[in-house]
Amino acid sequence: MSSDCLFCKIVNREIPSEFLFEDDAYVVFKDIHPAAPVHLLLVPKKHIRSINDLTAADSSILSGLFMVARDMAKEQGINESGYKLLFNVEKGGGQEIFHIHLHLIGGWKKK
Ligand code: 5GP
Ligand code: ZN
């Protein structure tokens, strides 16, 4: 927990948010500025600043995050149409919230 971290506040329900999924280790909620019809943020409850700060002890958090992504894509009905999974890493990589999170983006109309 980092006291000045927005996502820690969301995880701890200090800022009300609708969770599409929650378990002991993760929460999932909609991005406030969606870049696509489906744009979810998959957030480990543990405060880790970015991919750069992962340690070997965090490897299960990361692998579990991809399982959450797989399940949420199916739940959102975009598993077969396809989707993107994205980590922005540090400022130059577009990261704005320094609490690790995976973007799940998809749901574009078929052409
Ligand atoms: P980053 O750029 O750090 O990878 O992604 C942060 C994401 O969090 C952005 O896509 C931004 O729209 C989203 N975001 C920022 N503040 C809030 C908020 O208060 N609530 C929600 N649901 N999303 C937020
Ligand atoms: Zn945090």
Side-chain angles (χ1 to χ4, degrees):
M1 165 79 190
S2 172
S3 59
D4 58 355
C5 170
L6 177 68
F7 283 1
C8 281
K9 287 180 180 157
I10 289 177
V11 163
N12 292 316
R13 297 182 181 276
E14 289 169 46
I15 296 173
S17 293
E18 186 187 338
F19 294 153
L20 282 68
F21 173 80
E22 180 177 19
D23 69 5
D24 290 351
Y26 309 97
V27 296
V28 176
F29 50 89
K30 290 183 180 171
D31 196 293
I32 203 167
H33 294 129
V38 175
H39 187 170
L40 304 184
L41 300 174
L42 285 43
V43 183
K45 288 186 170 178
K46 181 180 177 186
H47 181 86
I48 301 167
R49 177 185 163 93
S50 83
I51 288 282
N52 288 344
D53 299 278
L54 286 169
T55 68
D58 297 322
S59 57
S60 65
I61 292 179
L62 206 59
S63 56
L65 192 58
F66 287 109
M67 298 297 107
V68 174
R70 176 201 61 189
D71 293 346
M72 292 309 300
K74 189 165 189 188
E75 197 256 354
Q76 294 287 311
I78 60 171
N79 55 315
E80 289 186 356
S81 58
Y83 53 95
K84 294 181 192 292
L85 295 174
L86 175 72
F87 287 105
N88 293 325
V89 184
E90 295 297 331
K91 287 194 178 72
Q95 189 174 3
E96 293 175 355
I97 309 288
F98 295 98
H99 178 133
I100 201 166
H101 53 280
L102 182 60
H103 295 254
L104 168 61
I105 305 168
W108 303 279
K109 284 210 171 71
K110 288 176 189 149
K111 285 188 181 163

